[in-house]
Every structure is written in C-alpha cells, then in structure tokens.
Amino acid sequence: MNRSLAIFGGSTLIYIGLAILMGVLPGIWLSKVPATPGLKPLTPLEARGRNVYVAEGCVYCHTQQVRPLSGDKPFGRPSAPGDYAYQTPELLGSERNGPDLSNIGKRQSSSVWQYIHLYEPRAVVPQSIMPAFPWLFRIVDRVPEGEKRVPLPPQFAPSGAVIPSDDGKALVAYLLSLKQPVLTQAQPGAPVSGSSSGAAGFDVAKGASLFADNCASCHGAEGKGVPGTFPPLAGDQVVNAANPKAHISTVLHGLSEKAIDGQKYEAQMPHFADQLSDQEIADIIDHERSSWGNHGALITAADVTAVRANEPLQKAAAPAAQPPPTQAPAAAFDAAEGSKLFADNCSVCHGAEGKGVPGTFPPLAGDPVVNATDPAEHITTVLHGLGGKTINGQKYEAEMMPFADKLSDQQIADIIDHERSSWGNHGPLVTPADVANIRAKK
C-alpha cells in the first residue's frame, strides 16, 4: 500500500514538474517579453470588441499569427512575441478559412468597409464564404443624431437605414486596432531591408498580385469599385492623368470623403506608405494605369520615392519621355506564341500575311479596327465572332467563329497583339486583363 502511494506520489510530482516546465515557465517568460515598440494597449471599446470577436466565433476561421513564409506576405510581416503583449490569452487561431487578421487594421483601415463586410460579406467580396452578422446592426427608419448609416450597395440594402449596434462598433474598433508596428532591423522578425526604388521595370504579374492582395477588396478585381461606396478605377481621371503625382500620393497617404465624378465617397482609403516599398507601390499603380482600358503614363519606384519625400517629379515636366502606357504589356506578349496561335486559328481565312480573300474574308493588314487606339471592338470580335459585316464598303457574308469558349484570355491577347504588330499594323497592344474585362461585359 505504501509502495503504491509512493509510486502514485512520484508520478504526480512528475506531472506537476512537466506542467511547470511546459506551461508555467513559458508563461512567466512570455509575460516578461516587452511590447513591440509602437504597440498600443487596447482601449475599453477595443477590449469589448475583442470579447465580441471571441463570442461570435471569429477565431474559428481567422488566425492572428503571420508565419515567415512567402504565402503569408500579404498578411503582414512575421509575427513577433511582443505583438501580443497587451492581449491575453492570445487569439492565435489555427484555421484560415478567412485571411489572417494580425494587420487588418492597416490592410483594411476603412470602418465603412468593415461594417459592410460584417453586415453582408458578399457586398464587397462576392466569393466570400463568411457568414453575415446582421444582428450586430439595427435597421431604422430615421438615422439618429450622431449616428451614420452604413452605405450598402443598393442590391444588399434593406428598406430602412442600417446602423451598427454597440457590439458592432466595438468589434470594428477591435479589428481596426490590429496593426503590426514596424520592426527595426535590430528586432527579431524584422524584414531585411532593400532598395525601395530599384531600377526594375513594371512587373505585370507582380502588379496584378499586389493589387489583388491590397486593393481588390474595395475597388474590385476589374476596377469597377462598389457603386456609392468605393470608387471605380477604370476610367478614373487621376489614374489616367499624365502627371501621376496625385495618384501616387493617394496610394501613399490614403484618402477619405472625396467627391469623384459628382459622387462623394465616405469610406476612408488606407495609406500604404508604411506597408509597401516604393517598387511595390509603383507596380500597383502601373497595374491600375494599364488595366481596364486605362491609359495613364507609367511610373517608376523613383517617382514614388520623390512623392514620398515631397520632391518634384522629373517626368512631370516632360511627360513625352514616358513610354506609352499601351506598351507596358509588351514584355508579356510572346511574339512566337502569337504567330503560332494566329496560324492555327486565323490564317486559313485571313491569310498568313493578313491579306484575307478578296470578297470572302476581310484583310487584317491596315484594318481600322485592328489599328484603333481603343481595342474593345477588336477584342469583342475575336471573343464573340462576327457575321454580315461591311468593311471598307465591302460586305462579307462569311461568319467569323467566336473564340471565347475555345481560347484563354492570354491566348486571345497573343493573337490580337500579333495582328496589331504585323503587316504594317500599329495598334496598341492589349493584355489578358483587357480581354477579361471585355469578356465580363458580355
């Protein structure tokens, strides 16, 4: 009996020792880790929002731990121990059905966007699987003094005005408090610095990826925005301006309550000066200036550096020195692939030299649609076909087949760019994004 008690007592001591070693001591050590410089304690409203975050189960689908992996870069820098100094217990999470929220207060600092997203996620992210949280809001006939209605897109708006409840306000306050302080090089987890104004040109794929990670949630993948809530970028005057200073300044420093084309947008656009390098900002801006039919002059990282330092832009005085915006995708145009695709799909009618067959199939060499500055009609024709068309006074009865279901946006862009750069043609080149934009309008 005494021996059994001794064994039991010994086992208990072992378990207690392991608990101290694995739980208590790390807890004591972590409690002494200083807060990351610049980290702020939660306000009472933010602390209440943290409780709402837990009660509503947000932690089941969202993490607050950015790993040092390339796939986590869109979420922020790798998390550091001091980031959690003012939040106990830490809401690290283990599932990512939705994005990591460690830096959501910087990535998406618009309270309007956050309210819309909570009320009906698909109003701002059409493919979202997140449940709606309408019980965090009230629907009223008249907005009380001191309150602001949530400007929902018309198709998602109820008959009354939507205003956030106290719990809704607290939750959004907490989400906006989730901002990673910038680490210095001496701090663990700090990213290795590099030149912010490298000489690299516009990387089309990188620009598209950065736009998707940082901008598409408000402005949309096709630059259409959300009517009445977030402005469109397609056709925007600032995006297409010859002098890019206002465009650069907006991305660097953000914008709020701006009237654009007679429409006032109350939602605040976050600033990216502290989140993205000059090269990354240049890639985003060049993506915006060369997509969705936009034709703004392209910029470089050096231009962003100059605006960041509040210096005059050199090329503002000589805009003609800019490369034509339509030439931006030239690097993505595979001339050999375009020639091959044309030979396989088009030359049987239009001829290898683009001369067509007189009276039967129209020539492409010198054709006004192929050489038009606006490629919309050219793209539409290749996507959806054509029949009974009169070209240069000649009516062609033969029907051209559509390629929308046969070829990808990249393949169609390659064919069109081959036609626009062959047989003496001089039409501006197009990108797969241009094709996708026209395809989506059908």
Side-chain angles (χ1 to χ4, degrees), residues 262-279:
Q263 170 72 52
K264 187 175 181 181
Y265 293 91
E266 297 180 2
Q268 182 176 6
M269 173 180 165
H271 64 272
F272 291 93
D274 297 333
Q275 301 179 56
L276 301 174
S277 71
D278 292 349
Q279 183 62 59

PDB file of all heavy atoms in Angstrom, residues 262-279:
ATOM      1  N   GLY A 262     -18.764  63.710 -59.103  1.00  0.00           N
ATOM      2  CA  GLY A 262     -20.025  64.113 -58.501  1.00  0.00           C
ATOM      3  C   GLY A 262     -20.536  63.204 -57.406  1.00  0.00           C
ATOM      4  O   GLY A 262     -21.542  63.501 -56.778  1.00  0.00           O
ATOM      5  N   GLN A 263     -19.836  62.108 -57.131  1.00  0.00           N
ATOM      6  CA  GLN A 263     -20.239  61.151 -56.091  1.00  0.00           C
ATOM      7  C   GLN A 263     -19.279  61.264 -54.915  1.00  0.00           C
ATOM      8  O   GLN A 263     -18.068  61.129 -55.080  1.00  0.00           O
ATOM      9  CB  GLN A 263     -20.222  59.726 -56.640  1.00  0.00           C
ATOM     10  CG  GLN A 263     -20.382  58.643 -55.576  1.00  0.00           C
ATOM     11  CD  GLN A 263     -21.777  58.559 -55.021  1.00  0.00           C
ATOM     12  OE1 GLN A 263     -22.737  58.454 -55.758  1.00  0.00           O
ATOM     13  NE2 GLN A 263     -21.909  58.621 -53.699  1.00  0.00           N
ATOM     14  N   LYS A 264     -19.814  61.542 -53.723  1.00  0.00           N
ATOM     15  CA  LYS A 264     -18.963  61.628 -52.543  1.00  0.00           C
ATOM     16  C   LYS A 264     -18.822  60.252 -51.910  1.00  0.00           C
ATOM     17  O   LYS A 264     -19.825  59.575 -51.641  1.00  0.00           O
ATOM     18  CB  LYS A 264     -19.539  62.612 -51.522  1.00  0.00           C
ATOM     19  CG  LYS A 264     -18.600  62.862 -50.344  1.00  0.00           C
ATOM     20  CD  LYS A 264     -19.139  63.940 -49.417  1.00  0.00           C
ATOM     21  CE  LYS A 264     -18.175  64.191 -48.265  1.00  0.00           C
ATOM     22  NZ  LYS A 264     -18.675  65.215 -47.323  1.00  0.00           N
ATOM     23  N   TYR A 265     -17.582  59.857 -51.677  1.00  0.00           N
ATOM     24  CA  TYR A 265     -17.296  58.549 -51.075  1.00  0.00           C
ATOM     25  C   TYR A 265     -16.809  58.766 -49.643  1.00  0.00           C
ATOM     26  O   TYR A 265     -15.762  59.374 -49.413  1.00  0.00           O
ATOM     27  CB  TYR A 265     -16.235  57.813 -51.891  1.00  0.00           C
ATOM     28  CG  TYR A 265     -16.714  57.425 -53.270  1.00  0.00           C
ATOM     29  CD1 TYR A 265     -16.524  58.272 -54.358  1.00  0.00           C
ATOM     30  CD2 TYR A 265     -17.379  56.222 -53.494  1.00  0.00           C
ATOM     31  CE1 TYR A 265     -16.980  57.929 -55.625  1.00  0.00           C
ATOM     32  CE2 TYR A 265     -17.835  55.877 -54.753  1.00  0.00           C
ATOM     33  CZ  TYR A 265     -17.629  56.732 -55.818  1.00  0.00           C
ATOM     34  OH  TYR A 265     -18.079  56.397 -57.071  1.00  0.00           O
ATOM     35  N   GLU A 266     -17.594  58.274 -48.680  1.00  0.00           N
ATOM     36  CA  GLU A 266     -17.271  58.490 -47.271  1.00  0.00           C
ATOM     37  C   GLU A 266     -16.234  57.509 -46.750  1.00  0.00           C
ATOM     38  O   GLU A 266     -15.533  57.791 -45.779  1.00  0.00           O
ATOM     39  CB  GLU A 266     -18.536  58.394 -46.430  1.00  0.00           C
ATOM     40  CG  GLU A 266     -19.574  59.461 -46.768  1.00  0.00           C
ATOM     41  CD  GLU A 266     -20.816  59.341 -45.914  1.00  0.00           C
ATOM     42  OE1 GLU A 266     -20.843  58.450 -45.045  1.00  0.00           O
ATOM     43  OE2 GLU A 266     -21.744  60.143 -46.113  1.00  0.00           O
ATOM     44  N   ALA A 267     -16.128  56.360 -47.390  1.00  0.00           N
ATOM     45  CA  ALA A 267     -15.192  55.341 -46.903  1.00  0.00           C
ATOM     46  C   ALA A 267     -13.753  55.847 -47.011  1.00  0.00           C
ATOM     47  O   ALA A 267     -13.374  56.476 -47.995  1.00  0.00           O
ATOM     48  CB  ALA A 267     -15.352  54.053 -47.692  1.00  0.00           C
ATOM     49  N   GLN A 268     -12.978  55.574 -45.999  1.00  0.00           N
ATOM     50  CA  GLN A 268     -11.574  56.004 -45.980  1.00  0.00           C
ATOM     51  C   GLN A 268     -10.695  54.966 -46.644  1.00  0.00           C
ATOM     52  O   GLN A 268     -10.763  53.784 -46.341  1.00  0.00           O
ATOM     53  CB  GLN A 268     -11.106  56.225 -44.546  1.00  0.00           C
ATOM     54  CG  GLN A 268      -9.666  56.713 -44.465  1.00  0.00           C
ATOM     55  CD  GLN A 268      -9.250  57.018 -43.027  1.00  0.00           C
ATOM     56  OE1 GLN A 268      -9.989  56.756 -42.090  1.00  0.00           O
ATOM     57  NE2 GLN A 268      -8.064  57.561 -42.858  1.00  0.00           N
ATOM     58  N   MET A 269      -9.860  55.431 -47.564  1.00  0.00           N
ATOM     59  CA  MET A 269      -8.878  54.537 -48.182  1.00  0.00           C
ATOM     60  C   MET A 269      -7.640  54.496 -47.301  1.00  0.00           C
ATOM     61  O   MET A 269      -7.128  55.548 -46.888  1.00  0.00           O
ATOM     62  CB  MET A 269      -8.508  55.048 -49.571  1.00  0.00           C
ATOM     63  CG  MET A 269      -7.368  54.267 -50.206  1.00  0.00           C
ATOM     64  SD  MET A 269      -6.952  54.870 -51.846  1.00  0.00           S
ATOM     65  CE  MET A 269      -5.337  54.076 -52.055  1.00  0.00           C
ATOM     66  N   PRO A 270      -7.133  53.320 -46.962  1.00  0.00           N
ATOM     67  CA  PRO A 270      -5.941  53.248 -46.107  1.00  0.00           C
ATOM     68  C   PRO A 270      -4.705  53.757 -46.826  1.00  0.00           C
ATOM     69  O   PRO A 270      -4.660  53.824 -48.047  1.00  0.00           O
ATOM     70  CB  PRO A 270      -5.817  51.739 -45.808  1.00  0.00           C
ATOM     71  CG  PRO A 270      -6.479  51.075 -46.965  1.00  0.00           C
ATOM     72  CD  PRO A 270      -7.613  51.987 -47.359  1.00  0.00           C
ATOM     73  N   HIS A 271      -3.696  54.138 -46.044  1.00  0.00           N
ATOM     74  CA  HIS A 271      -2.422  54.539 -46.639  1.00  0.00           C
ATOM     75  C   HIS A 271      -1.484  53.340 -46.668  1.00  0.00           C
ATOM     76  O   HIS A 271      -1.569  52.445 -45.821  1.00  0.00           O
ATOM     77  CB  HIS A 271      -1.790  55.689 -45.847  1.00  0.00           C
ATOM     78  CG  HIS A 271      -1.422  55.317 -44.439  1.00  0.00           C
ATOM     79  ND1 HIS A 271      -2.307  55.421 -43.379  1.00  0.00           N
ATOM     80  CD2 HIS A 271      -0.269  54.828 -43.903  1.00  0.00           C
ATOM     81  CE1 HIS A 271      -1.728  55.023 -42.276  1.00  0.00           C
ATOM     82  NE2 HIS A 271      -0.497  54.652 -42.552  1.00  0.00           N
ATOM     83  N   PHE A 272      -0.625  53.319 -47.658  1.00  0.00           N
ATOM     84  CA  PHE A 272       0.273  52.181 -47.833  1.00  0.00           C
ATOM     85  C   PHE A 272       1.742  52.567 -47.684  1.00  0.00           C
ATOM     86  O   PHE A 272       2.624  51.749 -47.950  1.00  0.00           O
ATOM     87  CB  PHE A 272       0.039  51.536 -49.204  1.00  0.00           C
ATOM     88  CG  PHE A 272      -1.287  50.843 -49.319  1.00  0.00           C
ATOM     89  CD1 PHE A 272      -2.394  51.503 -49.821  1.00  0.00           C
ATOM     90  CD2 PHE A 272      -1.442  49.541 -48.882  1.00  0.00           C
ATOM     91  CE1 PHE A 272      -3.628  50.879 -49.907  1.00  0.00           C
ATOM     92  CE2 PHE A 272      -2.672  48.903 -48.957  1.00  0.00           C
ATOM     93  CZ  PHE A 272      -3.765  49.573 -49.473  1.00  0.00           C
ATOM     94  N   ALA A 273       1.996  53.799 -47.256  1.00  0.00           N
ATOM     95  CA  ALA A 273       3.379  54.264 -47.146  1.00  0.00           C
ATOM     96  C   ALA A 273       4.201  53.399 -46.199  1.00  0.00           C
ATOM     97  O   ALA A 273       5.399  53.187 -46.426  1.00  0.00           O
ATOM     98  CB  ALA A 273       3.401  55.723 -46.681  1.00  0.00           C
ATOM     99  N   ASP A 274       3.563  52.907 -45.124  1.00  0.00           N
ATOM    100  CA  ASP A 274       4.295  52.117 -44.128  1.00  0.00           C
ATOM    101  C   ASP A 274       4.238  50.622 -44.397  1.00  0.00           C
ATOM    102  O   ASP A 274       4.877  49.843 -43.684  1.00  0.00           O
ATOM    103  CB  ASP A 274       3.730  52.389 -42.727  1.00  0.00           C
ATOM    104  CG  ASP A 274       3.904  53.832 -42.298  1.00  0.00           C
ATOM    105  OD1 ASP A 274       4.853  54.475 -42.796  1.00  0.00           O
ATOM    106  OD2 ASP A 274       3.091  54.322 -41.495  1.00  0.00           O
ATOM    107  N   GLN A 275       3.455  50.210 -45.402  1.00  0.00           N
ATOM    108  CA  GLN A 275       3.267  48.781 -45.635  1.00  0.00           C
ATOM    109  C   GLN A 275       4.003  48.261 -46.857  1.00  0.00           C
ATOM    110  O   GLN A 275       4.426  47.104 -46.872  1.00  0.00           O
ATOM    111  CB  GLN A 275       1.776  48.482 -45.815  1.00  0.00           C
ATOM    112  CG  GLN A 275       0.910  48.872 -44.638  1.00  0.00           C
ATOM    113  CD  GLN A 275      -0.546  48.570 -44.905  1.00  0.00           C
ATOM    114  OE1 GLN A 275      -0.919  47.450 -45.217  1.00  0.00           O
ATOM    115  NE2 GLN A 275      -1.398  49.573 -44.800  1.00  0.00           N
ATOM    116  N   LEU A 276       4.140  49.101 -47.866  1.00  0.00           N
ATOM    117  CA  LEU A 276       4.699  48.643 -49.139  1.00  0.00           C
ATOM    118  C   LEU A 276       5.911  49.474 -49.520  1.00  0.00           C
ATOM    119  O   LEU A 276       6.004  50.662 -49.194  1.00  0.00           O
ATOM    120  CB  LEU A 276       3.641  48.743 -50.245  1.00  0.00           C
ATOM    121  CG  LEU A 276       2.354  47.949 -50.028  1.00  0.00           C
ATOM    122  CD1 LEU A 276       1.349  48.274 -51.138  1.00  0.00           C
ATOM    123  CD2 LEU A 276       2.634  46.454 -49.990  1.00  0.00           C
ATOM    124  N   SER A 277       6.832  48.835 -50.221  1.00  0.00           N
ATOM    125  CA  SER A 277       8.011  49.548 -50.710  1.00  0.00           C
ATOM    126  C   SER A 277       7.633  50.428 -51.889  1.00  0.00           C
ATOM    127  O   SER A 277       6.559  50.299 -52.473  1.00  0.00           O
ATOM    128  CB  SER A 277       9.089  48.546 -51.135  1.00  0.00           C
ATOM    129  OG  SER A 277       8.699  47.873 -52.333  1.00  0.00           O
ATOM    130  N   ASP A 278       8.552  51.312 -52.264  1.00  0.00           N
ATOM    131  CA  ASP A 278       8.298  52.183 -53.407  1.00  0.00           C
ATOM    132  C   ASP A 278       8.115  51.374 -54.688  1.00  0.00           C
ATOM    133  O   ASP A 278       7.301  51.727 -55.543  1.00  0.00           O
ATOM    134  CB  ASP A 278       9.456  53.176 -53.574  1.00  0.00           C
ATOM    135  CG  ASP A 278       9.505  54.182 -52.436  1.00  0.00           C
ATOM    136  OD1 ASP A 278       8.545  54.235 -51.653  1.00  0.00           O
ATOM    137  OD2 ASP A 278      10.508  54.913 -52.316  1.00  0.00           O
ATOM    138  N   GLN A 279       8.875  50.289 -54.840  1.00  0.00           N
ATOM    139  CA  GLN A 279       8.728  49.463 -56.030  1.00  0.00           C
ATOM    140  C   GLN A 279       7.371  48.777 -56.058  1.00  0.00           C
ATOM    141  O   GLN A 279       6.722  48.689 -57.103  1.00  0.00           O
ATOM    142  CB  GLN A 279       9.838  48.414 -56.087  1.00  0.00           C
ATOM    143  CG  GLN A 279       9.802  47.537 -57.349  1.00  0.00           C
ATOM    144  CD  GLN A 279       9.986  48.344 -58.628  1.00  0.00           C
ATOM    145  OE1 GLN A 279      11.006  49.004 -58.789  1.00  0.00           O
ATOM    146  NE2 GLN A 279       9.017  48.302 -59.527  1.00  0.00           N
TER     147      GLN A 279
END
